[in-house]
Amino acid sequence: MATYLYYDTVRLNKDAGGVLNVSEVLLRNMRLSRDDRVEAVSERHPRVYDLALRLKLSRFVLDTLLYNFHRLRMLLTGERMFSVFPNYFLPFTLLGSHRDSIAIVHDLQYKAYPQYFSRAKRLFLDWNLWRAARSAADVVFISKSSQNDFERHFGRCEHATVIFNPVDAPRGTTAPAAQTAPSEAANTGTPPPRERYLIAAYHYYPHKNFGGILALFERMKRAGLVDYLDITGNGAAEVERMVAALAPEVRGFVRHRGLVSREALIQLYMGATAFISLSTFEGFNLSAAEAATLGVPLLLSDIPVHRELFAGYGFFVGSANSDPYRLAKYLARHERTRPAWALAATCAPAAVAGRYLTLKRSALSFTRAMP
């Protein structure tokens, strides 16, 4: 049995967003292993974690203190433990080369959009990713596209692998289409018409290209393909300013729902005409993967990671192929054929957790074979 210490200290960063979601899903599923013992740092050291929370201590400082404590303990006792760092940072240590570690690199957004990161933050990220590239740790990339971005700037890692993000969506589940005016149905005894809407389920960030989303929605609405655009997450004020520039006959059909429960989000996915994401940069695009797992059509920007993950399933929007006729054909074909996303099983949380747990199998076997 292998022992893993999972550094869930990423929870100290309230702005972690999708990284935090991925971390929690991965930890939950790794802990289901019958052959391995997986502990969260926050549970193994609850008092230290609570103190760090109260003092607003940086996770980088806490990770460094705890990792070196356990490294020293292993040297003194001979205990074997692997450390999992769910967001790129490998703690500084003089007690090894991180061969006992797994570090996940999600993306290099700061390289694509340096203007949104301070110079100090960019230097800090550069230094840490450079260290990861030259460490003996298992460095996990969430897509081949993300790995390519990394290697372009920092070179190849000694131990690199691609493991797609875990997608926590109920595959094979069916749900009734979203409906309008339930009171009308009760009064007339006939079901109301189905709402036709695009779903954009993510927070507002510049690279999410909400301007492009609104422009495509306007074209699709004028062509009679959809009626509404539903947006979830943070950023209502920013979206509202952009919506104000739309034509009056369109702007009233954009609905920003804010933060919604997980159950409500699944229902929104499954009642949607299509999921839309026209991002100019992504490391994986978890929201699109959730929608694809649920069988929802995808309207996506034509960027490398979208091609990597959703080729043969999604519709890639571009100046030459996003006319309403082509969109209508794609939606009709999807409705008729009900294709399955080819990577749904690969991205199932249990499968992803299993891949992480096998990364250290060879090291563990070698240790057991030693006299």
Side-chain angles (χ1 to χ4, degrees):
M1 173 179 285
T3 299
Y4 293 83
L5 189 59
Y6 192 99
Y7 282 74
D8 62 336
T9 49
V10 68
R11 293 194 291 133
L12 293 172
N13 180 4
K14 302 302 182 183
D15 298 323
V19 171
L20 180 57
N21 175 268
V22 168
S23 174
E24 291 177 342
V25 172
L26 178 59
L27 173 59
R28 184 166 65 247
N29 284 272
M30 287 180 69
R31 297 179 76 167
L32 295 177
S33 171
R34 297 179 180 179
D35 302 320
D36 304 283
R37 179 182 171 196
V38 181
E39 293 185 83
V41 159
S42 62
E43 295 178 5
R44 181 153 182 154
H45 301 283
R47 293 182 180 178
V48 175
Y49 182 85
D50 290 342
L51 180 63
L53 192 59
R54 290 198 302 272
L55 297 179
K56 297 182 178 180
L57 189 69
S58 165
R59 73 176 179 90
F60 306 115
V61 174
L62 182 58
D63 285 2
T64 300
L65 292 173
L66 292 178
Y67 179 73
N68 280 282
F69 167 77
H70 283 287
R71 281 295 305 164
L72 182 60
R73 180 178 174 178
M74 285 190 288
L75 290 173
L76 294 175
T77 66
E79 177 189 14
R80 191 65 187 268
M81 176 185 292
F82 300 116
S83 296
V84 182
F85 300 97
N87 193 18
Y88 79 82
F89 180 71
L90 286 172
F92 314 114
T93 184
L94 298 176
L95 304 174
S97 59
H98 294 102
R99 189 66 193 96
D100 62 338
S101 302
I102 299 171
I104 305 174
V105 176
H106 290 264
D107 59 57
L108 270 68
Q109 185 184 148
Y110 80 103
K111 289 292 190 184
Y113 293 93
Q115 64 271 34
Y116 300 119
F117 296 81
S118 69
R119 184 172 183 272
K121 180 69 171 178
R122 296 197 305 271
L123 289 173
F124 180 77
L125 289 166
D126 276 342
W127 185 37
N128 280 283
L129 294 175
W130 181 88
R131 289 176 57 245
R134 283 147 188 82
S135 73
D138 282 283
V139 180
V140 175
F141 298 95
I142 61 173
S143 65
K144 185 62 178 177
S145 298
S146 187
Q147 182 181 7
N148 291 340
D149 288 343
F150 182 93
E151 291 179 351
R152 189 162 57 249
H153 293 285
F154 302 105
R156 292 181 178 273
C157 300
E158 182 180 354
H159 303 283
T161 189
V162 173
I163 303 178
F164 295 144
N165 277 339
V167 180
D168 188 18
R171 287 191 300 148
T173 302
T174 57
Q179 303 288 330
T180 57
S183 58
E184 177 186 337
N187 294 334
T188 63
T190 59
R194 173 180 174 176
E195 282 191 345
R196 301 178 305 165
Y197 62 90
L198 301 178
I199 179 68
Y202 32 83
H203 302 307
Y204 174 87
Y205 292 108
H207 72 276
K208 292 296 185 181
N209 189 18
F210 276 87
I213 292 169
L214 292 170
L216 184 58
F217 165 66
E218 184 170 8
R219 291 176 65 187
M220 291 181 70
K221 179 168 176 56
R222 292 187 187 282
L225 299 180
V226 291
D227 302 312
Y228 296 94
L229 169 62
D230 279 4
I231 302 170
T232 68
N234 295 323
E238 291 85 351
V239 172
E240 185 177 344
R241 285 195 292 271
M242 300 178 78
V243 170
L246 296 176
E249 62 271 21
V250 176
R251 70 173 70 124
F253 294 89
V254 179
R255 305 181 293 201
H256 199 291
R257 296 178 177 270
L259 296 173
V260 300
S261 68
R262 184 65 182 168
E263 295 75 17
L265 180 59
I266 295 297
Q267 292 300 313
L268 284 171
Y269 277 140
M270 299 183 72
T273 300
F275 171 91
I276 183 170
S277 174
L278 303 185
S279 300
T280 54
F281 175 87
E282 291 286 352
F284 182 80
N285 202 334
L286 184 61
S287 298
E290 290 176 340
T293 301
L294 294 166
V296 182
L298 303 181
L299 309 182
L300 302 171
S301 51
D302 196 353
I303 58 177
V305 72
H306 284 165
R307 287 283 181 182
E308 176 184 354
L309 298 175
F310 307 110
Y313 184 91
F315 181 93
F316 298 103
V317 174
S319 58
N321 67 349
S322 58
D323 63 89
Y325 174 73
R326 290 176 180 265
L327 287 166
K329 280 188 64 177
Y330 164 74
L331 294 174
R333 183 172 66 252
H334 196 285
E335 178 72 20
R336 184 177 66 255
T337 61
R338 300 285 182 178
W341 181 41
L343 296 177
T346 303
C347 292
V352 173
R355 288 204 61 195
Y356 276 92
L357 291 169
T358 60
L359 286 175
K360 298 299 186 182
R361 287 283 188 260
S362 58
L364 191 64
S365 299
F366 178 78
T367 301
R368 287 173 176 169
M370 294 292 287

